[in-house]
Amino acid sequence: MIEIGAQVDLSHPPDRVWLALTDRKLLGRWFAEAETVAGVPDRLVLQTAGLPGFDADVEVEVTERREPELLALRCDEAGRLTELTCGLTATREGCRLAVREVTTHGVWPTEQLEPREQQIRQSLTVRLPAILDWLAFQQVDLRRGAAGLTAELPTIGPLGDETARARRRRRTVVAVLAGAVPLAGLAAWVILPAEKDRAAALPPAASPTSTVADATPADTPSAASARPVRTASPTARPGRTPTARPSRTAASAPPPPPPPLTARYDTESGRLFGFTGEVVVENPGSAPAEQWAVVVTLAEGSSVDDVDGADWRQDGPAITFTGSAVPAGGSQTFRFDVRDSRPKAREPEGCTVGGAPCAGL
């Protein structure tokens, strides 16, 4: 017995994927053209001759059908018999499709095994998602009605990620500036004297006993010699001593800046042509962090397919994630699916929160 198989996570609901598996015209768009067998229900002939890993057309017959969970087929390829099962499991982002083919009579030539498995994997991970994206657009009603536009939006695959998704605003981290305003206020208070201090710096008012000579301009020698000498009088003006000024040093000290946010990255699951990344943003401070931004730098040829738990924007290989406030002493978690052009997906090249590196990379 020889077994080959493949598994792929799709950002589409199970019923849409089921339609792509069972509709003859849709099947011909992403795998192989199919023809019905006259007089025999649930039997098709797949035109696979010439495809990598296939040397003849395959006649298939449905043996078990549980919509939209399981489709089992008996296959006959030039006398070689196999059993093919397609299992669908709902996930938070859409569904997981697992395909498994096992020989029951005869064997494949050794040189056919690897091309055959590669052909199946490529069909599931490249052409099937593209057809599902196209099908999602066909199923959305864009006409205006009494209730306005439909609330359902299609999921966009790699053929339209950049143009179909609404670009979301990038929020920048301003935690570093948290202590700048109180420090600037303290500097202004130190430089500018208070109203009472400026009044103390002015010359004392003229005494009722001053002579008319006080009105003479001070730049003439006669005015300087005619001005009477004033003597201090205990009853004329109360004296000001340095101890009368209250100290403001302790009351004006700015609060210490909050501790910076931290983040931890982890690859949650790996798959062919992509992976799922998870980032946990933690706030060790005693006050909520209203704004945060995590920047993940992907490897060349990678792109984000779907995000859960954060807003995002892609600028070349850099993906900026933002989201709701992180509570004091709490955390915020978001996940994102990445599609990679190579069979063996590569993890991100970098991850930062507020410019500081994330743990885990």
Side-chain angles (χ1 to χ4, degrees):
M1 181 182 70
I2 302 176
E3 176 182 338
I4 62 174
Q7 179 176 287
V8 60
D9 289 322
L10 301 166
S11 54
H12 292 271
D15 57 345
R16 185 175 295 150
V17 180
W18 178 267
L19 183 61
L21 292 174
T22 56
D23 185 273
R24 183 170 59 88
K25 293 182 178 180
L26 291 176
L27 186 63
R29 289 178 178 267
W30 66 270
F31 183 65
E33 294 289 342
E35 295 180 354
T36 57
V37 178
V40 183
D42 286 338
R43 182 171 293 186
L44 295 172
V45 175
L46 300 179
Q47 298 177 3
T48 54
L51 293 179
F54 295 84
D55 57 7
D57 292 343
V58 177
E59 184 174 339
V60 300
E61 182 180 5
V62 177
T63 58
E64 187 175 359
R65 180 189 185 107
R66 294 202 307 267
E67 184 177 354
E69 299 173 355
L70 178 67
L71 181 67
L73 306 170
R74 181 183 295 113
C75 307
D76 185 347
E77 180 187 357
R80 289 190 296 270
L81 304 181
T82 62
E83 290 182 354
L84 178 68
T85 58
C86 303
L88 284 168
T89 305
T91 63
R92 181 171 50 191
E93 295 81 11
C95 70
R96 178 170 296 161
L97 171 61
V99 176
R100 178 173 176 264
E101 186 174 16
V102 180
T103 59
T104 58
H105 177 74
V107 294
W108 293 300
T110 304
E111 62 273 12
Q112 276 189 314
L113 285 178
E114 185 175 351
R116 187 186 190 95
E117 187 169 17
Q118 182 65 24
Q119 174 67 20
I120 294 175
R121 289 181 183 273
Q122 187 177 15
S123 298
L124 295 177
T125 58
V126 178
R127 292 196 292 271
L128 176 58
I131 291 301
L132 291 173
D133 292 342
W134 172 84
L135 183 60
F137 278 112
Q138 308 303 310
Q139 293 177 337
V140 173
D141 183 8
L142 297 179
R143 295 172 298 176
R144 293 184 181 272
L149 290 177
T150 175
E152 181 186 357
L153 293 178
T155 302
I156 309 301
L159 299 181
D161 282 338
E162 294 300 326
T163 57
R165 290 184 183 272
R167 291 188 173 271
R168 297 171 172 132
R169 295 183 305 172
R170 177 185 299 180
R171 302 177 184 174
T172 57
V173 177
V174 294
V176 177
L177 301 181
V181 173
L183 286 176
L186 176 62
W189 179 82
V190 172
I191 295 172
L192 299 177
E195 191 66 29
K196 292 202 306 180
D197 297 336
R198 289 199 298 269
L202 296 175
S207 165
T209 59
S210 300
T211 63
V212 181
D214 290 334
T216 305
D219 55 351
T220 62
S222 59
S225 59
R227 182 172 299 168
V229 177
R230 296 177 184 169
T231 59
S233 173
T235 59
R237 192 177 186 89
R240 298 177 182 267
T241 62
T243 57
R245 182 180 300 171
S247 174
R248 305 186 186 182
T249 304
S252 301
L261 299 178
T262 62
R264 183 176 66 257
Y265 171 82
D266 182 43
T267 298
E268 191 177 58
S269 64
R271 61 180 185 273
L272 190 67
F273 295 107
F275 62 90
T276 298
E278 179 185 84
V279 176
V280 180
V281 182
E282 297 179 337
N283 178 15
S286 58
E290 299 294 338
Q291 294 178 319
W292 57 269
V294 172
V295 179
V296 176
T297 303
L298 300 179
E300 183 179 0
S302 301
S303 61
V304 168
D305 176 39
D306 195 18
V307 178
D308 180 29
D311 298 333
W312 66 282
R313 178 178 178 178
Q314 181 164 0
D315 185 9
I319 316 295
T320 301
F321 300 91
T322 58
S324 57
V326 183
S331 63
Q332 183 83 12
T333 301
F334 64 89
R335 298 175 180 85
F336 55 95
D337 290 338
V338 173
R339 288 187 180 179
D340 198 301
S341 58
R342 300 185 182 184
K344 186 176 181 181
R346 296 153 293 173
E347 290 191 343
E349 295 182 351
C351 174
T352 61
V353 55
C358 305
L361 271 181

